[in-house]
Amino acid sequence: MAADASYSAWQQLAYLDISGNRLFALDNLGLPFTWLGNPTNVLPTEWEILSLSVLRARGCNLTSATSTELAIWTNMTQDTGLINRLRVLDIGDNPELSFTDMEMIFGQMRLWELYIDDTQISLGIGQFGWPHLPCTLEASNNTQLPQAPIDTSDNSVCRSDPTDEWQALLDWQATWTISNPLPGWKPAPDFFSTLSALIVFRIPGANIGADLTTLDMSSSWMLEDLDLSGSPGVTGQLSASWPAWMPYLKQLSLSGATNLGSIPAQWGSSVHWQESMVQLHLSKCGLSSVLPTPWNLVNLTHLDLSSNALTGSVTAVFSSILEQLDLSNNPGLTGSWQGIDRGALGSLTVLKLSNVSFSGFFPPGLLDAPLTILQASSSGFTGPLPDFTNSSSAAEMLQQIRLDGNTFTGEIPASYADLLQLKCLRLMNNPGLCGAVPQNLPCFDTRNTNLGKLCADTAQPAQTSTNGKVDITCRIPSLSQPDCAPDGGTLTNSTLQYSSGWTPDGRALDDISIALGLSDKIWPYASPCSFFAAAFNMAAGGSEAAAVAFLAEHGFACKEIDIDGNLHMRVTALDLSALVVKGKIPTDKLRLVPEVVQLQYLELLRAEGQSMQLSTIPAGLSTLTRLQSLKLSVANLSGPLPDISNLTALQELELHHNALNGSLPAFLPLNLERLLINNNKLSGTLPAYNSSANVLQEFDASYNDLTGLLRPEWAASMGGLKALLLNNNNISGSLPPEWSGLVGLTSLDLSVNWLSGQLPIAWSNMTIMQKLSLSYNSFNGGLPADWGVMSTPAMSSLRSFSCAECGLSGPLPNWGDATACNGILEHFDVWGNAFTGAVPASMEGWLPLQHFDVSENQLTGVFSGTPHCSLDGLGTLKVARNNLTGPVPASWGSFIALQLLDASFNNFTGPIPIFPPNTLQQLYLDHNALTGSVPAAFGAKPSLWCWSLHNNPGVCGALPSGTRCFDQANTSIGV
């Protein structure tokens, strides 16, 4: 490239990001790579980027560097532009990129951040040393681990960079995170000895091996986050020296390690960790013995010691700022918590104490905490259930209560009914619980309790019932707590009878079953969506697919619904027709019953088929405002349409082939995509539709008694319409020219109405129209030439056109090129009009033509003798009752698919041609002036079952043998 003064601006460039450009090599930027520093003075100095401090080239498909590029990098010194200034280098996400001698480059840089993740760059940095360790090292998904300790002779720079822009960042972190498994890697005992600048070392789930007893962490004094979790190969004893060696450690996670022994006493009493430690995760790592005392980690917010073998009392871990505490699955933990002062755990949001061996009452002091999750299953608590009456946060925050498997007694406190966010409640296996269940709690399992029975006499019910249904309403909450399925997490539907109450949808399905007179109910249990929640519980071995399939067998589906800001499981689909197919509803009992409207959150309702018994559409259907699909076709329905104006979510409405009457609604729902109301007895005018979304795609109101005019304004609101069928009604008026804006229409049928006026030329704008039917109307004027393919725009996609007996006159237009043979029209039917003149030769260019009918017009002239195109698909040819002259074209005998030919009532002359031997079924040449004998081949046509030549006096000769269904009146045959 030639030197250019404009490139002097490069000298001021400080930040360059070319990430995502597929460069394939570092010098494919359009400029030679030397412009980054120009160490060899190949280019003018004004091209040098001497101020560049940030260079990012992620995801550029970079490959192995060339030797020239490496030479440029390695020749750079600290006095050269790029190396001297560069602080951030990001060349990650380049899987093919490799630098075998990268340590020669990095050894001269003072990088703050280095990103070489998802590359093949070697981290064998040891031979040359690395005097300036970057403060952030991101090498995830890079399997090249350090082969030797990194020599860091200058670490202070990470904390004391003099430049203002770097001082603005509060805490530089040398971070090494590896997200892919590294099985078998075991750091040497002195691995951390020279990593004194490292602040974050996080490799969760890496499945490494490490002996904590011998691992030297004495130089890791700046480490703040150490995560070796998910690696069973991490073993050994926890070191009492770690608090002194890592005085700034904030987060420590060793969960999943093996046999780590006891927690050193120094961990609980360290003056360093008293200030620094925030999160301590030591679950499932083989801890034993008692917790150390004293426990002075006063800044601890997260403590997870679950699933170990800890013993003794745990009151030492209490802290007013502790947010999450998990001591579950430590059966050796004992003691009473009754003496906890209010506020001792005043910040606690998650408390998990399941499967321990506590004693006494549940401590009321814990109820002041802003708990969201309370788990204390099989924990040994006794006495009354915790009462949240005086809690200032439980009503708005508490989401899960698991107190099953204890020895609680008495009634459920009334305050539980105020827990508005509660999604999970488990109280089973508490035989001492009794009394009435409060309304509107989450549905829960009451097995091995006496809930619902009088506490004074558990043989007597504590709650009233109607028709055998306990008058308690419960709710199925969201699946966000899948480990708390209402039936206890099992997949056997036999447990569903233990539900604490009826859900509204359970009552509705029961009422629908009663209304249909079913002996085997659609759903025999109180909570129709509880099985779905249970099956979704992966811990119970189920799956969402299994749940969906099971519920489909019962004709309904469940889904999470947002109700006043909370997610609940509700019935969202009911398919009564499917239950007939499955044999669960007898064919003589299927009908649409009013009780279906009790399922207030239905999104789909289907009840259709010839087996449907006579019924009407329930008026209350208009209350199902979430309904998206309503399919009630061929359902033996009568009566008026329901008011659907409130069904704003409705996308599919299928009511065709019924006996519905009355008027259409004044306005259609704005989100409708399919409206099929054909073959009914509906009356009135066409509805308004003012949607700006243009989502309506299919509208079929054919075979009704609709009146009035077509709506021009539909062009502005039905831009997405593909099919509009209004045939066989009583619609009048003219065709709106504005409908030329319905450019998405592919099928339009307005036949059998009382439409009048001229055909709009502007409709040529319907360029993707494929089927247009206007037959049996009262138009005037001609067929627009502009609709044909010779115009622009035109109906160039038209495959079927019908305008039989529709009042048109004048000549047939030229809709194609007879010599091009590129027409796509398959069906052309304009019989019964007043067209004059000759049949345009261009119509012979309609190559895929299958049906051609211009009979009963006033056409004249002679057909061309030889067509330019081979009409091999033509099956029906009708030109009867015109004034056509000349011979019957011999070329008609080449139409190999021809089945019906009607050229009767014309003035054709000359001999009878020979037609295809195996396809022709009907031949009508009567009432012409044909002459000569009947071809003998006609008697040998097995397919020809009916033909007529009568009223052709000039036809003579013998009748071919084998002739069937032949009329020879007023001919000379046999004379």
Side-chain angles (χ1 to χ4, degrees):
M1 297 180 64
D4 192 310
S6 63
Y7 278 92
S8 63
W10 288 108
Q11 292 181 316
Q12 307 302 318
L13 187 64
Y15 186 104
L16 176 62
D17 190 343
I18 54 174
S19 299
N21 292 285
R22 315 306 285 176
L23 302 177
F24 297 100
L26 289 174
D27 60 354
N28 282 357
L29 299 172
L31 294 173
F33 198 67
T34 50
W35 56 281
L36 291 176
N38 194 24
T40 56
N41 294 317
V42 175
L43 297 176
T45 57
E46 62 266 20
W47 285 19
E48 298 178 8
I49 304 180
L50 301 179
S51 300
L52 193 66
S53 60
V54 177
L55 173 59
R56 299 187 187 277
R58 295 188 65 83
C60 290
N61 203 27
L62 301 179
T63 58
S64 300
T66 66
S67 58
T68 302
E69 291 161 357
L70 281 175
I72 293 171
W73 279 95
T74 53
N75 286 337
M76 293 179 182
T77 66
Q78 294 186 22
D79 297 326
T80 305
L82 180 64
I83 293 299
N84 185 44
R85 299 286 185 175
L86 200 61
R87 290 295 181 267
V88 176
L89 176 61
D90 186 350
I91 49 178
D93 193 20
N94 289 289
E96 302 298 321
L97 181 60
S98 62
F99 283 88
T100 55
D101 297 323
M102 200 64 180
E103 62 268 22
M104 297 177 61
I105 301 169
F106 294 156
Q108 303 179 58
M109 290 185 175
R110 289 183 174 271
L111 288 175
W112 289 111
E113 303 178 32
L114 173 61
Y115 299 88
I116 53 176
D117 52 301
D118 289 292
T119 68
Q120 298 183 37
I121 295 176
S122 171
L123 292 182
I125 305 167
Q127 180 181 358
F128 295 92
W130 195 348
H132 307 292
L133 180 70
C135 298
T136 295
L137 171 58
E138 172 60 67
S140 59
N141 291 324
N142 188 329
T143 58
Q144 305 295 322
L145 290 175
Q147 302 301 309
I150 299 173
D151 180 14
T152 56
S153 58
D154 181 6
N155 299 315
S156 61
V157 68
C158 285
R159 297 275 185 180
S160 59
D161 186 89
T163 57
D164 293 340
E165 58 267 31
W166 301 113
Q167 282 289 353
L169 298 176
L170 298 179
D171 190 9
W172 286 102
Q173 295 190 355
T175 303
W176 186 1
T177 62
I178 301 177
S179 58
N180 61 313
L182 304 170
W185 179 65
K186 186 174 183 178
D190 61 348
F191 175 76
F192 289 94
S193 61
T194 58
L195 297 180
S196 57
L198 199 64
I199 297 175
V200 177
F201 190 84
R202 188 184 301 118
I203 52 172
N207 197 22
I208 68 168
D211 187 351
L212 300 184
T213 305
T214 61
L215 196 62
D216 183 5
M217 305 293 293
S218 60
S219 298
S220 301
W221 63 277
M222 295 180 65
L223 202 62
E224 295 180 2
D225 189 340
L226 177 61
D227 189 345
L228 304 179
S229 62
S231 292
V234 174
T235 61
Q237 297 294 309
L238 299 176
S239 173
S241 301
W242 278 19
W245 290 348
M246 295 176 282
Y248 300 111
L249 198 63
K250 297 179 180 178
Q251 300 184 52
L252 173 61
S253 181
L254 301 174
S255 297
T258 304
N259 297 327
L260 298 189
S262 59
I263 300 177
Q266 290 83 349
W267 285 26
S269 60
S270 168
V271 66
H272 300 293
W273 283 9
Q274 179 179 347
E275 298 295 331
S276 66
M277 186 61 71
V278 175
Q279 296 192 21
L280 185 59
H281 301 276
L282 300 174
S283 66
K284 299 180 182 178
C285 57
L287 294 177
S288 58
S289 73
V290 299
L291 293 175
T293 55
W295 186 269
N296 296 326
L297 304 184
V298 294
N299 288 319
L300 202 64
T301 61
H302 292 66
L303 177 61
D304 185 355
L305 301 175
S306 61
S307 300
N308 285 292
L310 298 174
T311 60
S313 175
V314 294
T315 54
V317 302
F318 296 160
S319 167
S320 60
I321 68 170
L322 196 63
E323 298 174 6
Q324 296 188 18
L325 174 62
D326 191 348
L327 302 175
S328 58
N329 299 310
N330 283 285
L333 292 180
T334 60
S336 171
W337 284 35
Q338 296 181 62
I340 296 179
D341 295 331
R342 291 182 180 271
L345 290 169
S347 301
L348 205 60
T349 61
V350 176
L351 177 60
K352 297 183 179 181
L353 303 174
S354 298
N355 299 314
V356 294
S357 300
F358 297 148
S359 61
F361 294 175
F362 188 87
L366 286 177
L367 303 182
D368 284 344
L371 288 171
T372 60
I373 294 178
L374 171 58
Q375 295 182 2
S377 303
S378 302
S379 58
F381 287 121
T382 62
L385 289 171
D387 189 343
F388 298 94
T389 299
N390 296 321
S391 173
S392 60
S393 60
E396 299 296 332
M397 299 186 63
L398 194 55
Q399 301 177 20
Q400 184 180 134
I401 300 177
R402 299 181 60 169
L403 300 174
D404 50 297
N406 289 290
T407 54
F408 288 110
T409 58
E411 298 184 357
I412 298 177
S415 60
Y416 281 46
D418 299 326
L419 302 178
L420 304 179
Q421 304 299 322
L422 193 61
K423 298 177 175 62
C424 166
L425 179 61
R426 295 189 63 173
L427 299 175
M428 61 184 183
N429 297 322
N430 281 284
L433 292 180
C434 56
V437 176
Q439 292 278 5
N440 206 36
L441 286 177
C443 301
F444 63 93
D445 194 333
T446 61
R447 276 178 295 173
N448 199 19
T449 72
N450 283 298
L451 291 170
K453 302 174 184 178
L454 291 175
C455 291
D457 184 0
T458 55
Q460 300 297 321
Q463 295 163 296
T464 60
S465 63
T466 303
N467 296 328
K469 291 178 286 192
V470 178
D471 292 334
I472 292 298
T473 299
C474 62
R475 52 188 170 84
I476 300 294
S478 162
L479 295 181
S480 60
Q481 307 281 349
D483 60 338
C484 194
D487 66 350
T490 61
L491 292 179
T492 57
N493 58 359
S494 62
T495 62
L496 297 177
Q497 60 185 299
Y498 296 105
S499 176
S500 57
W502 284 80
T503 64
D505 293 343
R507 294 180 188 274
L509 290 177
D510 194 65
D511 289 342
I512 293 171
S513 299
I514 294 173
L516 291 174
L518 302 181
S519 56
D520 294 328
K521 295 182 179 180
I522 295 175
W523 181 255
Y525 309 110
S527 306
C529 293
S530 60
F531 188 91
F532 188 95
F536 196 73
N537 177 11
M538 303 308 294
S543 68
E544 182 177 8
V548 170
F550 178 85
L551 296 187
E553 290 293 320
H554 294 267
F556 66 94
C558 293
K559 183 179 175 182
E560 289 184 340
I561 297 295
D562 188 334
I563 303 175
D564 297 329
N566 293 308
L567 292 175
H568 299 282
M569 293 298 301
R570 298 300 296 262
V571 172
T572 56
L574 178 64
D575 190 343
L576 296 177
S577 300
L579 293 178
V580 174
V581 176
K582 298 176 185 299
K584 296 183 180 296
I585 297 181
T587 56
D588 61 344
K589 292 184 179 295
L590 180 61
R591 61 189 179 93
L592 191 61
V593 295
E595 285 75 9
V596 297
V597 303
Q598 295 179 28
L599 296 170
Q600 282 291 295
Y601 293 90
L602 277 183
E603 296 177 356
L604 180 147
L605 174 59
R606 177 174 177 258
E608 55 188 357
Q610 295 180 350
S611 60
M612 290 281 292
Q613 303 300 304
L614 182 65
S615 55
T616 59
I617 300 178
L621 198 70
S622 60
T623 64
L624 302 181
T625 56
R626 299 183 65 93
L627 202 61
Q628 299 176 18
S629 179
L630 178 60
K631 298 184 177 183
L632 304 175
S633 300
V634 199
N636 205 11
L637 295 172
S638 61
L641 276 177
D643 180 11
I644 60 173
S645 59
N646 291 332
L647 305 183
T648 56
L650 195 62
Q651 299 175 12
E652 293 182 307
L653 178 58
E654 299 183 13
L655 301 172
H656 58 85
H657 290 89
N658 285 295
L660 298 172
N661 55 44
S663 300
L664 292 179
F667 295 92
L668 294 178
L670 301 183
N671 290 306
L672 264 182
E673 297 177 5
R674 299 182 72 225
L675 175 59
L676 308 181
I677 52 175
N678 52 292
N679 295 84
N680 281 286
K681 300 179 181 180
L682 300 172
S683 58
T685 60
L686 294 172
Y689 183 73
N690 299 320
S691 172
S692 60
N694 292 317
V695 295
L696 187 63
Q697 300 181 25
E698 186 176 0
F699 184 7
D700 188 350
S702 59
Y703 295 94
N704 281 289
D705 295 320
L706 301 178
T707 58
L709 307 177
L710 299 175
R711 288 185 171 270
E713 68 272 17
W714 280 4
S717 56
M718 293 188 180
L721 197 63
K722 297 179 180 179
L724 177 58
L725 309 178
L726 299 175
N727 53 289
N728 294 83
N729 281 287
N730 293 304
I731 301 171
S732 57
S734 59
L735 300 180
E738 294 86 348
W739 280 18
S740 61
L742 297 175
V743 294
L745 265 183
T746 60
S747 179
L748 174 62
D749 193 343
L750 300 173
S751 60
V752 196
N753 278 289
W754 297 98
L755 297 169
S756 58
Q758 296 188 355
L759 304 185
I761 296 176
W763 280 22
S764 60
N765 218 31
M766 299 177 177
T767 56
I768 65 171
M769 178 71 74
Q770 298 180 16
K771 183 178 181 180
L772 176 59
S773 181
L774 303 172
S775 298
Y776 307 105
N777 282 288
S778 302
F779 301 119
N780 58 62
L783 184 58
D786 288 1
W787 287 10
V789 295
M790 300 297 288
S791 302
T792 302
M795 295 184 184
S796 53
S797 301
L798 194 64
R799 295 184 177 275
S800 176
F801 176 74
S802 300
C803 198
E805 289 195 356
C806 63
L808 298 181
S809 60
L812 288 173
N814 189 5
W815 276 10
D817 185 348
T819 62
C821 298
N822 59 358
I824 64 171
L825 203 65
E826 299 173 355
H827 185 105
F828 184 77
D829 189 351
V830 293
W831 73 271
N833 286 286
F835 287 114
T836 59
V839 176
S842 61
M843 293 185 177
E844 297 175 1
W846 298 342
L847 194 60
L849 190 64
Q850 300 174 15
H851 181 102
F852 184 78
D853 190 349
V854 294
S855 56
E856 299 190 41
N857 279 283
Q858 302 172 23
L859 300 173
T860 58
V862 179
F863 266 88
S864 61
T866 303
H868 293 280
C869 308
S870 178
L871 304 180
D872 292 340
L874 186 62
T876 299
L877 175 60
K878 293 183 177 182
V879 295
R881 298 183 184 273
N882 281 288
N883 294 311
L884 300 173
T885 59
V888 175
S891 60
W892 288 4
S894 66
F895 298 156
I896 60 175
L898 193 64
Q899 297 181 9
L900 187 154
L901 171 61
D902 188 353
S904 61
F905 291 91
N906 279 288
N907 293 311
F908 285 113
T909 59
I912 302 171
I914 299 176
F915 293 96
N918 298 319
T919 60
L920 193 64
Q921 299 176 8
Q922 300 178 65
L923 175 64
Y924 304 99
L925 298 175
D926 54 280
H927 291 87
N928 280 288
L930 301 175
T931 59
S933 60
V934 179
F938 276 25
K941 292 180 181 296
S943 62
L944 187 61
W945 59 270
C946 189
W947 55 302
S948 175
L949 290 173
H950 64 278
N951 292 91
N952 280 284
V955 175
C956 57
L959 184 67
S961 60
T963 300
R964 296 174 294 169
C965 184
F966 176 69
D967 186 349
Q968 63 188 55
N970 197 20
T971 68
S972 299
I973 296 175
V975 177

